[in-house]
Amino acid sequence: MVIGSMKAEERVERSSRRSRSGIDLACTFKLVALLWAVLPMAAIEAFDYKDALSKSLLYFEAQRSGRLPYNQRVAWRGHSGLTDGLQQGVDLVGGYYDAGDHVKFGLPMAFTITMLSWSVIEYGDEIAAAGEYHHALEAIKWGTDYFIKAHTHPYVLWVEVGDGDTDHYCWQRPEDMTTSRQAYKIDTENPGSDVAGETAAAMAAASIVFQKSNPHYSHLLLHHAQQLFEFADKYRGRYDSSVREAKRYYPSWSGYEDELLWAALWLHRATGKGAYLEYVVENGHGFGGTGWEMAEFSWDVKYAGVQILAAKLFMEGSVPESQRQAAERYRSKAEYYVCACLNENNGSNVHRTPGGMLFVRQWNNMQYVSSAAFLLSVYSDHLIKAAQRELQCPGGAVGPQDLVALAKSQVDYILGANPMRTSYLVGYGRKYPMKVHHRGSSIVSYKRSKGFIGCMQGYYDWYGRRGPNPNVVTGALVGGPDSRDKFRDQRGNYMQTEACTYNTAPLVGVFAKLHRSSDQQIQIQEMSTPAASSS
């Protein structure tokens, strides 16, 4: 069974517009009201965002490749991929497996680290208040340590280890892998501006995270980021044309222009150098940054993230006259995305399921839900800091509270406030997916049974089992329900039950923000209670 081929069918509809009639919208709202009227407390309970945050960070330890550290908390995992890169004479041990398989794909891995870093940059205090700051930095560093290894020359980056076709032919624990560990690189003759740009963005963002706690490491990351951006910009091309093995699994449908803008923005934020911001201004139109109106944000399509980040950077500082027009265009496109999520674009909106979940496409839809929740949270904070209490959508004015409310509703949907009454964050709540499409989770732990499990033996003995997975891949955000809120918890239903690192990564910051907000509300209530009783 080829699991990853459908990833390639997450086609980028660049305008990504959805039309909905007023009649359909009215019917949907009535249906939602009816659903929540008959549903029990799952729809209205107070969720434990701190617990969700802790679990989400634990997930990244389950996805680790390489030699695991002494403080590894996911006990059912063991060392794996210890010879990665050996055939090519380079040390590529480490990094993350992207999902339920064992290929190390550079593009989604880099996006995962960028989003984890952005979460810490925006919500570091909130993560620290929840006692998870150290774990967040560990999750980031596990990825950036690997990127340092993979960037062996200013113009060489190793971007994949393993082959999707042979990997998906087998169902094995990572500790038993017998599949190809061929490594693939990009260089001047075989460019990959998209993956080099995303890796530059990840290392630049991470350099900001480590500026205070580890300045030497921060400087090293920034050095690599600058070299990678130069490489990506000077030798332009799509990586899936150079590394054809990636094309069926993580093709760069959106091209590389969004990653170049994305990397430049993160390098500007990390260095403060005006040249990077000027690059974003000069190439905004030609690269689509000020042109495309987006209603999705993902490992492939970065435009909405570019537009949100650019709008923040431009509006938070004094904008020179020469950049004002570009700044306004970035802001306009950023707010198009926000309005589309809020259903305020007069027809060109993100579709919603009857239960209220943002819905982009059927394969792994939760990646779009978690990324939307993060961007909405970040932009709501921006509006407050900029003293811009509302923005004008075609459908009417909306304020920061509307953005936060939608972000919270999507997170609550993930955690159990949905028609299926299930949490889609594995290990959280009373009911969650038990048959996640994940090799290591679905086979007895190597720690309990060290007997070798062969390539096809895993399919025969474990894949088809009707019972739950023996190991819980805690904190994994699965692909989630369909456009009608329906979900089948079956191991073979990989469209819905496979989880990916880039699904969970954006939630880290949102969970932390919501935990701090809920804590503050509780404190306010506790302070007001004595006064109310005494009166």
Side-chain angles (χ1 to χ4, degrees):
M1 181 183 64
V2 179
I3 300 168
S5 62
M6 287 296 292
K7 291 174 184 174
E9 295 177 15
E10 293 180 311
R11 293 179 294 274
V12 178
E13 303 148 6
R14 287 194 173 184
S15 60
S16 196
R17 299 180 180 179
R18 307 289 192 274
S19 297
R20 307 180 70 201
S21 68
I23 294 175
D24 289 341
L25 198 56
C27 291
T28 299
F29 287 150
K30 289 179 181 178
L31 180 58
V32 172
L34 178 61
L35 279 169
W36 291 153
V38 298
L39 284 174
M41 290 300 291
I44 57 174
E45 65 178 314
F47 293 104
D48 188 343
Y49 301 117
K50 180 180 180 182
D51 184 46
L53 170 61
S54 299
K55 286 177 164 59
S56 68
L57 286 168
L58 192 63
Y59 167 60
F60 295 99
E61 297 190 23
Q63 296 302 108
R64 285 172 170 170
S65 178
R67 184 169 296 279
L68 303 183
Y70 72 94
N71 60 348
Q72 169 81 7
R73 294 180 295 163
V74 179
W76 53 267
R77 278 296 322 281
H79 307 314
S80 64
L82 299 182
T83 60
D84 284 358
L86 183 63
Q87 289 177 302
Q88 289 73 34
V90 59
D91 179 6
L92 296 175
V93 177
Y96 287 109
Y97 303 121
D98 73 301
D101 44 33
H102 303 138
V103 183
K104 294 191 294 198
F105 292 102
L107 183 57
M109 192 195 305
F111 180 67
T112 295
I113 299 305
T114 306
M115 295 309 296
L116 283 172
S117 298
W118 198 0
S119 289
V120 173
I121 291 167
E122 297 290 341
Y123 301 112
D125 290 343
E126 289 83 351
I127 294 171
E132 294 293 337
Y133 192 78
H134 178 68
H135 291 141
L137 265 58
E138 281 187 333
I140 294 168
K141 194 171 185 294
W142 193 267
T144 52
D145 282 351
Y146 174 77
F147 295 146
I148 291 171
K149 290 182 176 183
H151 186 212
T152 54
H153 181 276
Y155 294 162
V156 174
L157 178 67
W158 295 85
V159 299
E160 182 176 332
V161 178
D163 171 59
D165 291 343
T166 59
D167 184 271
H168 290 168
Y169 180 75
C170 296
W171 194 263
Q172 290 178 288
R173 300 174 298 198
E175 296 84 2
D176 292 326
M177 273 191 293
T178 57
T179 51
S180 168
R181 300 308 287 171
Q182 174 76 31
Y184 305 89
K185 67 180 178 179
I186 56 171
D187 53 28
T188 58
E189 295 182 358
N190 304 281
S193 301
D194 28 31
V195 66
E198 182 60 59
T199 309
M203 299 181 93
S207 75
I208 300 172
V209 171
F210 290 102
Q211 274 178 352
K212 292 183 179 179
S213 62
N214 194 339
H216 174 75
Y217 189 67
S218 172
H219 179 75
L220 178 62
L221 292 175
L222 189 56
H223 176 68
H224 280 280
Q226 290 171 318
Q227 285 188 340
L228 281 167
F229 177 72
E230 180 182 324
F231 172 34
D233 189 41
K234 187 174 182 179
Y235 298 95
R236 295 182 184 179
R238 283 174 49 162
Y239 93 109
D240 56 5
S241 296
S242 299
V243 182
R244 297 190 180 277
E245 289 76 9
K247 196 160 192 172
R248 291 186 61 209
Y249 303 94
Y250 286 101
S252 184
W253 289 107
S254 69
Y256 56 78
E257 292 88 352
D258 51 341
E259 277 88 6
L260 289 177
L261 295 172
W262 182 239
L265 283 168
W266 279 112
L267 280 163
H268 168 73
R269 190 158 181 177
T271 65
K273 292 182 179 178
Y276 291 117
L277 199 59
E278 192 60 37
Y279 181 94
V280 174
V281 171
E282 291 179 356
N283 292 288
H285 175 72
F287 286 1
T290 58
W292 292 114
E293 294 179 332
M294 302 307 302
E296 64 180 81
F297 175 53
S298 70
W299 58 265
D300 179 25
V301 193
K302 311 293 175 8
Y303 284 110
V306 166
Q307 292 154 358
I308 293 283
L309 188 58
K312 277 173 53 63
L313 288 173
F314 281 122
M315 300 306 168
E316 286 174 357
S318 56
V319 182
E321 186 64 35
S322 60
Q323 297 180 350
R324 198 158 294 171
Q325 190 175 25
E328 178 57 28
R329 286 175 178 169
Y330 274 111
R331 184 196 62 79
S332 173
K333 301 308 178 184
E335 294 185 356
Y336 178 95
Y337 174 82
V338 171
C339 294
C341 290
L342 288 166
N343 207 34
E344 294 290 349
N345 258 351
N346 283 351
S348 300
N349 297 304
V350 181
H351 177 72
R352 293 195 197 183
T353 66
M357 177 184 66
L358 295 172
F359 189 84
V360 176
R361 52 181 59 89
Q362 62 180 354
W363 183 282
N364 189 19
N365 184 67
M366 277 301 180
Q367 65 176 306
Y368 308 106
V369 177
S370 63
S371 62
F374 181 83
L375 290 186
L376 289 166
S377 297
V378 167
Y379 207 67
S380 71
D381 295 337
H382 162 65
L383 291 177
I384 293 171
K385 290 177 183 176
Q388 182 182 344
R389 294 297 177 177
E390 63 181 24
L391 60 89
Q392 294 296 325
C393 294
V398 297
Q401 70 280 1
D402 298 305
L403 279 66
V404 173
L406 178 57
K408 183 178 183 300
S409 74
Q410 298 306 297
V411 169
D412 289 352
Y413 186 105
I414 289 170
L415 297 181
N418 56 68
M420 294 295 291
R421 310 175 194 180
T422 188
S423 164
Y424 295 111
L425 189 76
V426 179
Y428 178 90
R430 295 184 296 272
K431 179 185 176 185
Y432 51 83
M434 303 294 288
K435 302 173 186 177
V436 180
H437 185 92
H438 188 282
R439 285 161 173 74
S441 172
S442 67
I443 302 175
V444 63
S445 171
Y446 182 79
K447 300 288 185 67
R448 292 185 57 191
S449 177
K450 288 183 168 57
F452 176 75
I453 295 176
C455 172
M456 297 306 293
Q457 183 184 352
Y459 275 120
Y460 297 145
D461 295 348
W462 294 97
Y463 181 79
R465 290 199 175 195
R466 295 184 178 181
N469 289 355
N471 310 305
V472 179
V473 60
T474 301
L477 177 60
V478 297
D482 61 19
S483 61
R484 305 302 298 172
D485 300 298
K486 300 298 183 184
F487 177 81
R488 292 182 298 109
D489 186 13
Q490 296 177 4
R491 203 169 292 114
N493 181 22
Y494 41 85
M495 290 177 64
Q496 294 188 326
T497 63
E498 188 170 22
C500 302
T501 56
Y502 48 85
N503 292 15
T504 297
L507 289 178
V508 170
V510 187
F511 283 148
K513 174 184 171 70
L514 293 176
H515 167 62
R516 172 65 70 89
S517 298
S518 62
D519 251 15
Q520 291 173 342
Q521 290 175 359
I522 292 171
Q523 291 173 7
I524 291 172
Q525 290 172 356
E526 289 176 346
M527 291 174 63
S528 62
T529 300
S533 60
S534 62
S535 60

